[in-house]
Amino acid sequence: MGQAPSSTVESNRREIDLRLWYVSPLIIGRESMDLRESDRDFTSDLPDDCLAHVFQYLRVGDRKRCSFNRHHLSLDARAEIFSFLTSMFNRFDSVTKLALRCNRKSVSLSDEALVTISVCCLNLSRVKLRGCREITDLGMVEFAKNCKNLKKLLVGSCNFGAKGVNAMLEHCKLLEELSVKRLKGIHEAAELIHLPGDGSSSSSSLRSICLKELVNGQVFEPLVASTKTLKTLKIIRCLGDWDKVLQTIGEGESSLSEIHLERLQVSDFGLSAISKCSNCSNFGLIDVAERCKLMRKLHIDGWRTNKIGDEGLVAVARHCLTLQELVMIGVNATHKSISAIASNCEKLERLALCGSGTIGDTEIACIAKKCGALRKFYIKGCPVLDLGIEALVAGCPNLVKLKVEKCKVVTGEIGEWLREQRRTLVVSMDGDETEATVAVDGESETALVVPRMGQAGGGVAEIVGSGNGGGSGSNGRSRLATIRSKFGFFAGRNLVTCRFRRWSPNDNGYSSTLSTIIRPLKR
């Protein structure tokens, strides 16, 4: 019935729609931004629904620079759009979520432009500023005075400092989430960031703080320590010693339930303070295990340190009975600790053993015999044999995925044998590419398991395939999405992340890592 005419109509429609946008002030960075030929904004004649429909025809790059719906507007925040701001926000007067992004090679909006936006959009509840290097403390102060309904502020690669952040905390009483990344205005002589007044009597609504890649992030210490409503704290890749900050948190009346510390200089003193609850050792691990008994997820990276072994792991087995996910990298675990974990942690569903020279067939057989709830098992770089892998067939009745990587003595034949014995088990081996049949929501699916290297030294198996029921393409895609979600190794969980890392004095990387999930944080 004529595909060619349809394609022509589609092409003409797209050409007309895009031509309309070439003279729109919303799309910046085109030569068409020069409106000498016509200064008319054709978008002002379009209803909102029609305008949103036109956006579907924009290319990905244009859509990133400028996205729109009735309440959400994202702009390429170059200085050239300043003259259009008033007319733009007169048209889009119901915007509550605003994102201003500017690339490194362009000059961003200034303080005057930011104040103009704040006057036009008094009901803003969420603002994201990224790469807006021309905005100073003065602009942030005026912005905060006008946008008192703000609940979420995300800042990245900006140049204003502590004065601007303090102004937001003082005037935006409803602020619940604050995220600061690479804020260059915070230097060694910067004033401290805190709640207005002494902080104790403030009716702050702040519940989440995220600090990322800051040179002098310790200026946030008074804010973190005095915010009684704070539930979530994330400190990631910030320079300096953070033990003092963590000790201040531990000494106060904190209501924190989530702590995420990643690539941070922190020792056992800091860990003990918040567990009142690295040179991380058995002592630090025992402290966390004894005081965080509701822990559900634990990642231990003891690579190159040889300081975490059976003593710490037995403490985990004794106290953390609700553990659901355990990852051990370079840990000296033997049959003693593996047996204790397998026996006591009856809810353990996800287990990864990486780079341990003490884990062999005996330990794998123990896991197969006692870990009845285990669903996903990952083994990498351990001296196990085919005999140990074979033991998994007789045990682990709920196992749905097994991945074996860089275990030099394990042969490919054991993988084929496992698939024959348990057809619902997805098995992934080094250099393997094998079809496996799995059942998803009562339907049979043929999945092709193709190993794909992931990050942090781990492999991730990508599953592609199709249904056998002759359904529509959309149904097939939805079933494949279900397969990926069900069998993706350590798929995302609704858990709380908390990571403790310590700088290695003799290495460019990090010597040891202790990552935990704590819910809630216990003293």
Side-chain angles (χ1 to χ4, degrees):
M1 292 290 291
Q3 291 296 326
S6 175
S7 301
T8 303
V9 171
E10 180 70 21
S11 175
N12 291 339
R13 184 174 61 180
R14 178 176 301 229
E15 181 180 353
I16 292 172
D17 290 334
L18 288 179
R19 191 164 56 240
L20 177 145
W21 281 96
Y22 284 154
V23 295
S24 170
L26 297 181
I27 299 298
I28 306 302
R30 299 179 177 277
E31 294 179 358
S32 58
M33 186 63 211
D34 186 0
L35 300 183
R36 286 175 292 182
E37 296 181 2
S38 172
D39 59 356
R40 181 184 177 190
D41 177 13
F42 290 94
T43 63
S44 61
D45 299 329
L46 294 176
D48 287 354
D49 290 340
C50 183
L51 188 60
H53 180 72
V54 171
F55 265 85
Q56 299 176 10
Y57 296 96
L58 294 179
R59 290 173 294 186
V60 175
D62 291 336
R63 207 177 300 176
K64 274 188 176 181
R65 285 192 288 269
C66 179
S67 63
F68 161 77
N69 62 40
R70 283 187 176 86
H71 303 290
H72 182 192
L73 187 63
S74 177
L75 297 176
D76 187 4
R78 303 188 191 186
E80 294 92 322
I81 72 171
F82 175 66
S83 59
F84 301 103
L85 288 177
T86 302
S87 60
M88 186 186 307
F89 286 103
N90 284 340
R91 169 70 195 279
F92 306 126
D93 56 358
S94 59
V95 173
T96 58
K97 299 179 181 179
L98 176 66
L100 301 176
R101 299 180 178 91
C102 186
N103 61 49
R104 285 177 284 184
K105 297 181 180 180
S106 303
V107 179
S108 73
L109 291 173
S110 62
D111 289 343
E112 185 180 0
L114 186 65
V115 173
T116 301
I117 292 174
S118 68
V119 171
C120 296
C121 303
L122 298 176
N123 295 321
L124 284 176
S125 62
R126 172 175 173 169
V127 171
K128 181 174 184 178
L129 304 176
R130 181 177 178 183
C132 298
R133 289 170 289 277
E134 304 303 316
I135 295 176
T136 67
D137 286 330
L138 296 178
M140 293 301 296
V141 170
E142 295 301 319
F143 180 81
K145 290 179 180 178
N146 294 328
C147 298
K148 296 183 178 181
N149 294 323
L150 200 65
K151 293 184 177 181
K152 188 172 184 179
L153 176 64
L154 299 93
V155 178
S157 300
C158 293
N159 288 340
F160 63 87
K163 184 177 179 181
V165 178
N166 281 330
M168 300 301 298
L169 295 171
E170 179 180 356
H171 298 287
C172 303
K173 300 293 186 181
L174 301 179
L175 191 66
E176 297 179 355
E177 182 174 343
L178 174 65
S179 177
V180 181
K181 180 179 180 180
R182 290 196 296 269
L183 191 60
K184 299 179 182 179
I186 297 178
H187 46 79
E188 293 183 0
E191 62 179 281
L192 297 177
I193 295 175
H194 53 79
L195 293 172
D198 59 1
S200 59
S201 60
S202 175
S203 58
S204 172
S205 301
L206 197 60
R207 284 172 170 75
S208 174
I209 296 177
C210 178
L211 309 177
K212 237 175 160 181
E213 300 176 16
L214 299 178
V215 175
N216 191 31
Q218 287 80 1
V219 297
F220 284 88
E221 177 185 335
L223 175 64
V224 172
S226 62
T227 306
K228 297 180 180 179
T229 57
L230 191 64
K231 299 295 183 182
T232 302
L233 175 64
K234 297 181 181 180
I235 309 176
I236 302 171
R237 296 190 293 275
C238 293
L239 299 182
D241 187 358
W242 286 83
D243 276 346
K244 183 173 179 276
V245 177
L246 298 181
Q247 288 172 348
T248 305
I249 295 173
E251 292 170 358
E253 297 179 3
S254 174
S255 59
L256 282 170
S257 59
E258 301 181 25
I259 300 182
H260 181 153
L261 308 179
E262 182 177 338
R263 297 189 182 181
L264 214 62
Q265 183 177 337
V266 60
S267 69
D268 282 345
F269 295 105
L271 296 186
S272 297
I274 61 172
S275 68
K276 196 183 204 186
C277 27
S278 133
N279 192 29
C280 294
S281 63
N282 279 322
F283 299 107
L285 180 57
I286 292 172
D287 252 358
V288 173
E290 288 179 349
R291 293 169 177 155
C292 304
K293 298 182 179 181
L294 299 179
M295 184 163 53
R296 297 182 181 180
K297 181 178 179 182
L298 175 64
H299 289 210
I300 308 173
D301 188 346
W303 203 258
R304 306 187 189 94
T305 62
N306 295 324
K307 293 184 177 180
I308 296 178
D310 283 343
E311 186 179 355
L313 295 176
V314 169
V316 171
R318 184 181 301 118
H319 299 287
C320 304
L321 304 182
T322 60
L323 198 65
Q324 295 178 354
E325 176 174 320
L326 175 63
V327 177
M328 295 189 290
I329 304 173
V331 176
N332 300 321
T334 66
H335 184 270
K336 176 182 178 181
S337 56
I338 292 293
S339 177
I341 291 173
S343 300
N344 295 350
C345 302
E346 298 179 353
K347 297 182 179 181
L348 189 64
E349 296 181 357
R350 301 173 297 280
L351 176 63
L353 307 174
C354 309
S356 176
T358 57
I359 294 178
D361 290 346
T362 304
E363 288 71 27
I364 300 298
C366 178
I367 293 171
K369 181 179 180 180
K370 298 182 179 181
C371 292
L374 193 65
R375 299 182 66 249
K376 299 175 184 179
F377 192 16
Y378 178 44
I379 310 171
K380 178 181 178 181
C382 297
V384 297
L385 305 175
D386 286 353
L387 186 62
I389 303 298
E390 184 179 334
L392 295 172
V393 172
C396 300
N398 294 310
L399 193 66
V400 295
K401 181 169 183 179
L402 171 68
K403 184 172 179 64
V404 181
E405 191 177 46
K406 295 185 178 180
C407 296
K408 299 180 180 179
V409 191
V410 176
T411 63
E413 287 77 6
I414 189 64
E416 295 293 339
W417 183 81
L418 282 174
R419 295 185 189 99
E420 292 177 0
Q421 298 298 316
R422 296 178 64 167
R423 296 187 177 276
T424 59
L425 178 63
V426 177
V427 180
S428 180
M429 314 283 285
D430 279 334
D432 197 12
E433 185 171 323
T434 308
E435 286 190 353
T437 302
V438 295
V440 180
D441 297 332
E443 297 187 18
S444 178
E445 297 285 347
T446 299
L448 182 63
V449 182
V450 183
R452 174 170 55 86
M453 293 306 297
Q455 296 179 348
V460 180
E462 181 177 0
I463 302 178
V464 295
S466 61
N468 62 354
S472 66
S474 61
N475 289 337
R477 286 190 295 271
S478 64
R479 287 195 296 268
L480 291 178
T482 305
I483 293 176
R484 291 190 182 96
S485 65
K486 289 193 174 185
F487 293 99
F489 192 74
F490 287 175
R493 299 280 169 177
N494 188 19
L495 298 172
V496 180
T497 305
C498 171
R499 302 189 178 189
F500 307 102
R501 293 183 182 261
R502 179 182 184 276
W503 291 100
S504 171
N506 301 318
D507 190 68
N508 293 329
Y510 304 96
S511 61
S512 64
T513 303
L514 171 62
S515 301
T516 62
I517 288 287
I518 303 171
R519 186 190 299 250
L521 188 65
K522 292 292 183 181
R523 295 190 176 186

